[in-house]
Amino acid sequence: MVDGAAFETRSQHAQLATAEPESRVPRILVDGLWPRGVSRKTARIDEWARDLAPSTRLRQWFGHDPARWPEFQKRYRAELRTRSDRLAWLAGLARRGRITLVYAARDTDHNNARALQRLIAKRLRPRAPRGRDTGR
């Protein structure tokens, strides 16, 4: 579970997606490029959501430099605002049950799947009801 919510997203390297036994958990590749060394035939990928990947320009600027991670997340969120329908689709899948976001980056902590995971958790986190109290 992420942040105590009633859903679970998990991220997984593309190489591992081929090694695990089949599962009913949807596996969504969230990279713009197909992972090197992973056969499309043997990959257990249910959906390739290329449109949720960061732009080439952003990906190249980031270069998986942990020092750029906070700024990468900010810029990536800004890019995803233009794809809110696809982000809503992904959040909807997560709301219905566990999903696995598959990525190809070597860095398991600083990649777009992790950023998406956090964004989905934030979207699905229950919000406190707003009261009419204006504080007067």
Side-chain angles (χ1 to χ4, degrees):
M1 287 234 245
V2 178
D3 294 325
F7 67 93
E8 183 179 352
T9 57
R10 179 176 85 131
S11 57
Q12 179 181 53
H13 192 276
Q15 296 287 343
L16 297 174
T18 61
E20 275 194 9
E22 286 200 43
S23 163
R24 292 184 181 198
V25 176
R27 291 187 178 122
I28 299 121
L29 177 62
V30 292
D31 284 344
L33 303 172
W34 191 265
R36 284 186 199 171
V38 177
S39 161
R40 291 179 195 226
K41 227 177 200 177
T42 60
R44 293 197 171 100
I45 306 293
D46 298 301
E47 176 94 23
W48 184 8
R50 287 176 224 178
D51 50 349
L52 289 173
S55 66
T56 301
R57 185 176 182 183
L58 178 58
R59 182 178 49 81
Q60 289 174 345
W61 169 84
F62 175 45
H64 298 285
D65 178 354
R68 292 183 171 180
W69 177 240
E71 183 63 22
F72 169 79
Q73 289 181 92
K74 182 179 170 186
R75 293 181 185 191
Y76 187 35
R77 281 192 305 269
E79 285 188 358
L80 288 171
R81 283 188 201 110
T82 65
R83 304 174 218 155
S84 59
D85 57 330
R86 287 295 278 169
L87 195 54
W89 164 80
L90 191 61
L93 284 178
R95 189 176 285 115
R96 287 192 290 276
R98 197 171 99 187
I99 63 171
T100 300
L101 303 178
V102 180
Y103 62 91
R106 289 186 187 123
D107 187 334
T108 59
D109 295 321
H110 306 99
N111 61 66
N112 62 304
R114 290 285 187 195
L116 274 172
Q117 195 175 9
R118 288 186 175 109
L119 193 54
I120 292 168
K122 187 175 181 181
R123 269 186 164 228
L124 298 181
R125 186 178 300 131
R127 293 184 180 149
R130 290 185 169 196
R132 293 182 175 248
D133 184 11
T134 58
R136 291 185 189 174

